Amino acid sequence: MASRYLILVVSIAILFSGDAAGIHEPDAAAVAPSCDGEEAGFSFPVIHWKSMAEVVEEEMELAATATAAAAAMEEEKFVVPFRHRRKFSMYLVQLRIGGGPPDEARSRYVLFDTGDDLSWTQCVPCKNCTRSYYLPFNPVKSSTYHHLPCEDPMCEHGRITWCQSSHTYPTADNSLCKFDKRYGDGSKVSGYLGSDVFRFGNGMAGDDGGYNFEQDIVFGCAQEERTTAVREYSSGILGLGMGTFSFVAQAGVDKFSYCALSPERRDLRDQWRKTTSYLRFGSHAVTSGKIVPFKQDGAHFIISLKSVTYQRGSRLDQNQPVPIFTRQEAAEFLPILVDSGSALVYLPGLIFDPLLKRIDDELTLTRVYDPTNNPAINCYDGEMSDVEGVSVTLGFQGGAELELFGDTLFYEGYAGDYICLGISIDDRKSVLGMIAQRNTNVGYDLANMEISFNREVCA
C-alpha cells in the first residue's frame, strides 16, 4: 500500500431501458470537492442526458477540449461528463488509453463493474465482436503500450491466463499472455494482456481539459468478444472487483465509493448539478453509514442477506410489514453478490415467488410482456405513481437494512408507458444490482472487509 493515497473520483453514466440485462445477469458546473493537504484527487460527474443528440454534441465538445496538456497527479480535481440515456442499464466511465495525441480511437466508455476484476476493451483486430460506437483500441498506434510478459506474475498466476506464441499480430514471433473470460450469462471475451496509460481527466465543456490520473494499468485487449458489456457507447469493462487485475488494486487504494442518482431525480433549474455523482477512491471515498461485512469469493464482494420484508401503504399510513424471508442463524443467511455490472436484484425462487405473488395480489395493474422477451422480467401497464406505496426491505448481517421503493424497486420501460419490477428470479446466484443501489452511497472498505450503505449522503 502506498504511503500516500491516490484519490480518484470517477463519474458514472447511466444507460437505461426496459432491457435491464447487464454483463453479470442470468439468462432470461458541478465540481468534485477538492482535496486538502498532500492528497491528489480526480472526479467524473454523472450527467442525465435527454437524447442521443445531446450525447453526440457533448462528444464533439469533449474531442475539442481533449488536446489540452496533461496535468500532474497532484492536481486536486477534474471533471468528466457522464451520460445518462434510457437505453440499457449500465454505468459507464470515460477514459483514454495510450500515448500520443488523443483521438477518437483512444477515447472510450467502459462499464464500471464491481463484479469483475479484469479491465478490458476491444482491440484491433476484433473478430466476432459486438458492435460499439468506438473503434477498437489499436496498441500499435500507442507509444506507451507494452505486452504483458509471460513471466510476469500476473500472467503466471492468473486464473484465466496462459502463455502463447504469436506469429502474426501484434508482432511476429512474440509470446503473448492470453486471457479467456467467461461470465455467468454465458457470454465470453478473450484476447491478450498488455499495459498502457489509463487517463481520466477534465473534459467538461468549457474547461481547459487536462488529466488528473495517468498510470500504467494492465488490461485485456479483447480480440473475440460476445458480451452485454459492449453496447453502443460502451466498449469494455473497468474492473473494480477483488483480485490482482483489479483497477483498485493496481491504483494502490483500499477504499472506493459511488452514488448513482436515478434518472428521475433531476432539477430542471440546475440539471447538471442535481444529476451529478461520483466514483471516488482513496481518502475521498465515503464509507460511513450502515455497515455490512463482506467476504471475498474470487473477484466478488459477497454480503449476507438475513431477511426480506414486503410493505404496502403511504409513509403516513403503512400496512403491517409482511416477512417474506427471515433467518436468525448465520449459517442460514443467503450470500448475495454486490454488483454494479448488473441491473436487477436476483433472488432464489423460495424468496422471489412469494414476493412476486404478494406484489401481484395487491397491485391493480395489468401484467404486460417485457419488450425484450425476457421471461424473468416482470412488467406492468402503469406508471411509477401507481407503485408509490410498495416497498421491499432487505436486511443484512450486522443489522443494516436497505429499503427499496419507487425508482429503486421499479423502473420505467424505454417508451415510458410501462413499468417493470427491479427484482427477478435466479436459483443459481443472488445479486444486488444497480437499480437497488441507486440514490444510495455505497462504500467499499477493503482493509476492514466492509461495505456501507448511506441514503443520507449521496456523494
Side-chain angles (χ1 to χ4, degrees), residues 1-7 37-41 73-75 251-253:
M1 181 65 201
S3 59
R4 164 178 170 181
Y5 279 121
L6 171 68
I7 310 151
E38 298 181 354
E39 295 177 318
M73 285 290 293
E74 286 69 28
E75 191 76 22
V253 297

Side-chain angles (χ1 to χ4, degrees), residues 162-456:
W162 74 95
C163 190
Q164 184 179 58
S165 295
S166 171
H167 300 288
T168 55
Y169 191 89
T171 57
D173 300 317
N174 184 39
S175 294
L176 295 178
C177 182
K178 304 281 286 186
F179 76 95
D180 190 339
K181 183 76 177 177
R182 307 293 174 116
Y183 293 99
D185 62 355
S187 60
K188 59 184 179 180
V189 58
S190 61
Y192 54 90
L193 296 181
S195 69
D196 208 337
V197 179
F198 275 34
R199 291 180 169 92
F200 300 96
N202 294 341
M204 183 185 297
D207 71 12
D208 294 327
Y211 301 107
N212 282 1
F213 178 85
E214 293 187 273
Q215 181 175 323
D216 275 354
I217 297 293
V218 172
F219 68 103
C221 247
Q223 292 186 294
E224 294 191 50
E225 173 274 322
R226 283 294 174 184
T227 71
T228 53
V230 177
R231 294 180 174 184
E232 297 185 349
Y233 274 87
S234 174
S235 64
I237 278 178
L238 181 71
L240 302 182
M242 301 287 283
T244 306
F245 290 118
S246 174
F247 175 80
V248 179
Q250 295 189 61
V253 297
D254 63 1
K255 293 181 180 180
F256 69 95
S257 66
Y258 53 83
C259 185
L261 295 174
S262 64
E264 291 77 18
R265 298 205 175 183
R266 57 183 183 268
D267 185 337
L268 296 179
R269 294 170 301 177
D270 191 1
Q271 191 177 67
W272 178 284
R273 187 176 302 277
K274 294 301 182 182
T275 57
T276 297
S277 58
Y278 304 89
L279 173 59
R280 304 170 178 272
F281 293 81
S283 62
H284 268 196
V286 178
T287 56
S288 61
K290 302 173 182 178
I291 302 298
V292 181
F294 75 81
K295 296 179 181 179
Q296 179 181 355
D297 181 10
H300 295 162
F301 299 97
I302 303 295
I303 59 178
S304 296
L305 182 69
K306 59 184 297 186
S307 67
V308 177
T309 305
Y310 171 84
Q311 196 162 20
R312 177 81 188 278
S314 67
R315 296 293 173 197
L316 299 178
D317 185 24
Q318 287 190 329
N319 297 329
Q320 283 294 109
V322 178
I324 302 296
F325 170 80
T326 303
R327 295 293 185 269
Q328 300 299 327
E329 301 297 328
E332 299 178 333
F333 294 165
L334 179 71
I336 185 168
L337 164 67
V338 184
D339 186 9
S340 66
S342 294
L344 304 181
V345 172
Y346 283 91
L347 297 172
L350 68 90
I351 302 176
F352 177 76
D353 289 340
L355 177 62
L356 181 63
K357 185 178 187 306
R358 174 68 64 168
I359 292 174
D360 281 345
D361 287 347
E362 296 202 6
L363 291 180
T364 57
L365 303 177
T366 302
R367 289 283 293 272
V368 296
Y369 285 108
D370 168 49
T372 63
N373 296 318
N374 187 339
I377 297 179
N378 299 276
C379 300
Y380 303 86
D381 183 9
E383 301 176 351
M384 294 296 291
S385 59
D386 296 322
V387 293
E388 284 182 348
V390 178
S391 69
V392 174
T393 300
L394 307 179
F396 301 104
Q397 182 182 14
E401 292 185 338
L402 187 61
E403 184 183 10
L404 312 181
F405 58 92
D407 50 26
T408 61
L409 182 59
F410 292 88
Y411 63 92
E412 290 183 334
Y414 181 58
D417 56 356
Y418 64 95
I419 57 174
C420 299
L421 180 64
I423 304 177
S424 190
I425 185 171
D426 184 9
D427 285 315
R428 300 167 301 170
K429 178 178 65 176
S430 298
V431 177
L432 184 68
M434 283 303 287
I435 292 176
Q437 298 180 52
R438 294 194 298 198
N439 310 316
T440 300
N441 189 87
V442 184
Y444 296 73
D445 185 338
L446 308 187
N448 294 311
M449 303 285 282
E450 294 175 340
I451 292 178
S452 60
F453 298 106
N454 193 337
R455 282 253 170 88
E456 302 301 319

